Structure formats: structure tokens, C-alpha cells
Amino acid sequence: MGEQQSKNSNNDFDVIVVGAGFGGMYMLHKLREQGFSAKVIEAGDGVGGTWYWNRYPGARCDIESLDYQFGFSDEIQRGWSWTERFSAQPEILRYAQWVSEKLDLLKDIQFKTRVIQTNFNEQKNNWSIETDTGETYTGKYCVMATGCLSMPRAPDFDGLDSFKGNVYFTAQWPHEEVDFSGQTVAVIGTGSSGIQSIPIFASQADHVTVFQRTPNFSLPAYNKPLEAGAAEAHKDKFMALRREAREVGVGFGNAAEAKPAAQYNKEEAASHLEEVWKVGGLGVLSAFSDMVLSNESNDVAAEFIRDKIRGMVDDPVIAEKLAPKSYPLGTKRPCVDTGYFDVYNRDNVSLIDINDDAIESITATGIKTAGNEYTVDNIVFATGFDAMTGALLKMDIRGRDGYTLNQKWEEGARTYLGLSMAGFPNLFTVTGPGSPSVLSNMIVSIEQHVEWIVDCLKHMRENNIDSIEADTQAESDWVAHVNQLADLTLFPQANSWYIGANIPGKPRVFMPYIGGVGAYAQKCNQVAADGYDGFKFSEVS
Ligand code: FAD
Ligand code: NAP
């Protein structure tokens, strides 16, 4: 390994990284910095991952731009100036491209290439990676930076192929501009992608018909341009703030003291919630310390938001349909919107609750429900992702003895720390199931994983260690711990993608680690300090 092995021929590298989103980009940088040879393989034809694919109008981050950026380099954070509080997709994509140029990443990324199979070779103790272009790459290690929200959920409506109009997927939006002026649009799905894009569609189209299965809690963004002076001043504080953010629950903000809801009387609770609501963004979710622990506390905040919806939507029947009542606040991923609920006061927007009027099929001209037929020019699917496991399982990953990841995860994802799986030596996942990932500022979680993995590879190089594999018992203990923590919360009450409920037949297992990024990082650091406790090493013979 190192200098000598960094040289490669025949597509052989120390490390193959799959995916060139923020995870793969930072992984490549860190590996090269430490003298490992690496190749990144990416299905898209550019960097940015999420921000490369999700180009739908209205797409923007819902964690503030000043937090949703890399924090590993003071030079990088000082070199980029965000223009909005919650930046839009084009700006975030430009940022990813700028970082890739600054770090000279592109020369080591193979774009427009999808990994279709990976095999662990026990004799050679390496991974061979097969691609859809017919090439084979080999790497002693393989790092999956394939994203938690990168495998769009395939819509399974009867008759989809018969539709004569245009079909769009928010998660695979065309690169050229799509303008719905003078046209009619049906949108299926009211998660974050639907909620961000529907107001833009409504401002263009003759008519937008929204098909809602489950209403979502959505909080106002109160997005605004960032004043240049404030953004520049923030750069002086950023590195310290990021260090602090790595210690707190969700990887942004600081550890402000929240109190249980019961410590407020009714008026105080309402005024506290009003204060946080006015700030905009996701803050309402942490207004009470027991928000996801107590149904009573949760309902105080949930009812506050439902009342806000009732106040924003003129038609009381529509308002009730939009007000979520079937799951606690925060247990499905809440959204941050700009003008979402107001849109239902427009004459050119209708809401169809498919619980009252189920979609039966897609026809040549539109959508047929039990009671109606909606003729439209365009259908937009904002139907989400096969989250956390979809991209990994799609790849046909074959570990020791040809044992596949699909076999291993038949009853749900099992990992040690969300980083590694028993039976799959020398394979790592960035923000895999069992890590805080989607319950955090993901860039913070990505950086922590990348740094831990690269430190581990350095440790192995320095100690002549040839392979690393999670111990089955350590993995089982971790899976049990992740589930025990989730069971202490209200999260299992919701049919969320966190639990796989959005994909028919997917095992219902709560996938992310809910204990917070600080506690999680401490655990990972302790594992390393204890000689990689819970992992098995084999030495170079
Ligand atoms: P991704 O960005 O998903 O990149 C994975 C890459 O792997 C993709 O480019 C994909 O093409 C590639 N890939 C996958 N499988 C293969 C294969 N078999 N072969 C080759 N390439 C493959 N998180 C936040 O913290 N804050 C936010 O505000 C936020 N907003 C979001 C908005 C949207 C619309 C979405 C969908 C997600 C958002 N997220 C947000 C989550 C977001 O996914 C992460 O923040 C982050 O961008 C993930 O980076 P990643 O590199 O881990 O994965
Ligand atoms: P999502 O949250 O899973 O929402 C998908 C929507 O489609 C849901 O309303 C779902 O209803 C509906 N749906 C799915 N299948 C359906 C069917 N067969 N019939 C009718 N409705 C159907 O997906 P998303 O909106 O793409 O967001 C996924 C995640 O990506 C978010 O939770 C967030 O983490 C991230 N994201 C973030 C932002 C941001 O603001 N920065 C923007 C977009 C995405 P049910 O709820 O009933 O399943």
C-alpha cells in the first residue's frame, strides 16, 4: 500500500469508491491526501450526487447553506460565498463542481459508469467491480458512497406506459429547463420534493392537480438572500461552529437547552412555538426536549402546526386534508417550504386526497381515480426513494463465499456502526444504515465517516493488516442497540421511509441511528481507540 502500491495498471487501485456526491468527493480527496490510490466510479456525468440528479424547480437545501457545506478545510469554506439562507440546487451543484476543481478531483473520477456487481475475491483479498460499460476495476478496499436518497422509487401505477403526455421524476429531472406555462400538470407525492416544486409549477401552469396520500408537516423557510457582510463574518466563526455541531444531536446549530413541553403552560408553549416558527427552518422540531419521546408533548407542537395550516388555507375542508394527523410530528421527514400551503388558495390548484378517491390507473390522457378522470399534459412523480438500502442492494454486492448483500439484508439492513458488514471484508459504507445519516446534517455525517474510514485504512497500512471485517456479534449488538433506541421514541409510529414503509415488501426496520451525531462519533472513536473493537483483522502473510 502507499507510494509503491499507489501506482496502478489495469484499473487496479488501493480503493474503489462508488459515487461522486459529497461523500465520494471527500473520500477521494482524503484518500489521495494519505497516499492511497483511488478511483471513483459515478453513474452521472458530473459530481454532486443528490444535487446533480434532483434538478426540479424549487429544489433547495432545508439545512441552512452556512451549515450545509464542507467543514474539513478552512480554505474551502472561506473560498465560497453562499447567496441565500437556503440555497437552491443550481448553487449547491456549482459549489460541488467548484470544490471538485479546487481539489482537482475530476481526473480520478470515471463518470457515466454504473457499478452493477462487486465481488470479494478471497484468494486475492480484494474487490472486483463490474460496470455497465463492461469494464472491471479492482481495489483492495471498496467504499460505497452511493447515497441514502439516490435510488428513486419506481412508480408502480397500472397503465403508466400508455400515457401520451410528458412524464417527469423529481429525482431525475431533465437538465434543460422545463416550463409548464399554458399546460396542465398532475403531481403525485407530497414529501419534500413535491412540497418544494408544487408552488413553482402552480406559478407557471394553467392548472396543477396534486394527488396526496399522506399530508406532511411543513415549516416555512423564510428564505432570504444572505447579506454579503454577514456571510463573510460567519466565515471567521465557521470552523469553531462546525466543531461544536459535530458534538450535537443533528450536526447543525448549537446545543441550545430545550425543555419538555410539560414545563410550559398552554400560553407559554404557544408563544415559545411561535418564536421558533418565526425563525423559519426546522427549529420547531427541537422546540421541546421530549418532542419525539412523548405523544403528549409532540401533539402540542403538531396541533400548533395544524392550526398554522388552518390559518393559511382558506377552504377549511382542504385545510383539514392538508393537516397531518396520522403520525407524530418529526417521525416522517418534515419539509421546509416557500409558499406551499398558500398555493391551495389559488384557483389553478386542486388537491385530491387519494384516500378518498384512490388512483386506479394512468390512462393515455391522464389519471383515473375511483371517482374521476383527470386529463393532464404532464405527470410529475415526486414519489421518493428506496432510501438507505436501495442503491446498495441494486449493485449485487457479493462478499465472502459469494454471499450477497441481498441475502444478508433479506430481513432488513444489518451493519456494524453503519460502516461495515460481517461477511463483506474490506468494504465500507458512507452514511450506511445504522449511522445517523439522514437524521443529521448529512455533510457532517459524511465527513465523520470518511475521516474514520481513512484513519482505519492508515492504521491497517501502518500495522501490516490485510483485511478488516465486522464481527458478527458486534454487528448484532449494534443492530439491537439501534432498534432499542428507536423503540424508545415515537418514530416507529409512522409509515416512513426511515422504516422502509414506502416500498412495498421492504422489511420494516428502523434504519438510521437515532442517538445523535455526537454520541455516535464518540462510539466510533472509542472503537478505534480500543484497537477497532468489534472488527476482525487479518495480517499480511
Ligand atoms: P449522493 O449525493 O446521493 O451521491 C451518491 C452518488 O452515487 C450519486 O451520484 C449516484 O449517481 C452514485 N451511485 C449510486 N449508485 C451507483 C452505482 N451503482 N454506480 C455508480 N454510481 C452510483 N441532506 C441534508 O443534510 N440537508 C439538506 O438540505 C438535504 N437536502 C436534500 C434535498 C434533496 C432533493 C435530496 C434528495 C436529499 C437531500 N439531502 C439533504 C440528503 C442528501 O442526499 C445528502 O445531504 C448528500 O447530498 C448525500 O451525499 P452522498 O454523496 O452521500 O450521496
Ligand atoms: P418522500 O418524502 O418519500 O415523499 C414521497 C411522496 O410520494 C409521499 O407523499 C408519498 O406518500 C407519495 N407516494 C409514494 N408512492 C405513492 C403512490 N404509489 N401513490 C401515491 N403517493 C405516493 O420523497 P421526497 O419528497 O423525494 O423526499 C425524500 C427525502 O429527500 C426527504 O424526506 C428529505 O430527506 C430529502 N429531501 C430534502 C429536500 C429539502 O428540502 N432539502 C427536498 C427533497 C428531498 P406517503 O407519505 O403516503 O408514502
Side-chain angles (χ1 to χ4, degrees), residues 20-303:
F22 288 133
M25 289 168 62
Y26 183 41
M27 184 49 98
L28 174 60
H29 169 66
K30 203 75 195 156
L31 286 167
R32 289 196 323 202
E33 193 184 68
Q34 296 303 325
F36 294 99
S37 68
K39 188 80 177 176
V40 178
I41 303 173
E42 165 57 53
D45 69 358
V47 294
T50 288
W51 305 101
Y52 169 88
W53 295 105
N54 292 264
R55 296 169 187 244
Y56 60 85
R60 49 181 78 244
C61 53
D62 61 2
I63 288 178
E64 298 192 32
S65 312
L66 295 179
D67 292 316
Y68 189 67
Q69 61 175 325
F70 281 124
F72 66 86
S73 153
D74 194 34
E75 189 191 339
I76 297 245
Q77 73 90 13
R78 281 184 187 279
W80 184 264
S81 298
W82 296 103
T83 63
E84 288 183 273
R85 181 181 180 194
F86 296 101
S87 292
Q89 171 273 333
E91 186 172 5
I92 305 175
L93 181 59
R94 278 200 303 280
Y95 168 74
Q97 290 162 342
W98 173 80
V99 172
S100 73
E101 283 157 23
K102 192 135 183 76
L103 300 176
D104 195 17
L105 299 180
L106 299 183
K107 63 179 187 218
D108 290 323
I109 307 178
Q110 181 65 44
F111 289 112
K112 293 208 258 189
T113 305
R114 184 170 286 280
V115 172
I116 50 172
Q117 195 183 76
T118 68
N119 290 287
F120 183 66
N121 183 323
E122 294 190 46
Q123 277 73 45
K124 295 184 180 162
N125 207 18
N126 69 3
W127 283 90
S128 78
I129 281 100
E130 312 292 334
T131 69
D132 64 352
T133 54
E135 285 165 302
T136 301
Y137 292 82
T138 49
K140 178 163 177 171
Y141 301 98
C142 184
V143 177
M144 296 301 180
T146 43
C148 293
L149 296 160
S150 57
M151 180 54 58
R153 180 194 190 289
D156 44 8
F157 297 99
D158 285 346
L160 179 56
D161 290 344
S162 67
F163 183 59
K164 298 269 188 285
N166 305 308
V167 173
Y168 298 95
F169 300 88
T170 50
Q172 289 170 335
W173 201 259
H175 287 206
E176 61 280 6
E177 196 190 349
V178 176
D179 187 340
F180 290 134
S181 298
Q183 299 178 44
T184 51
V185 185
V187 182
I188 302 181
T190 52
S192 299
S193 303
I195 282 179
Q196 285 188 329
S197 54
I198 287 164
I200 315 277
F201 300 152
S203 71
Q204 298 171 345
D206 276 0
H207 199 91
V208 176
T209 309
V210 178
F211 292 83
Q212 171 187 276
R213 186 165 68 184
T214 312
N216 227 314
F217 288 101
S218 189
L219 305 160
Y222 298 134
N223 189 30
K224 57 182 182 194
L226 284 175
E227 286 162 26
E232 287 307 308
H234 183 84
K235 293 181 181 180
D236 292 333
K237 298 182 281 185
F238 175 81
M239 296 305 276
L241 287 172
R242 176 52 66 91
R243 271 193 297 279
E244 203 180 317
R246 289 178 73 140
E247 305 296 321
V248 296
V250 287
F252 63 97
N254 46 32
E257 284 295 306
K259 294 190 290 184
Q263 288 190 17
Y264 296 91
N265 67 32
K266 208 172 163 199
E267 291 71 36
E268 287 167 350
S271 118
H272 174 54
L273 288 165
E274 190 64 47
E275 284 301 307
V276 221
W277 174 273
K278 275 196 282 196
V279 174
L282 293 166
V284 174
L285 299 180
S286 43
F288 303 133
S289 59
D290 54 351
M291 189 73 84
V292 292
L293 298 174
S294 150
N295 274 309
E296 291 72 30
S297 297
N298 190 285
D299 206 47
V300 174
E303 191 55 18

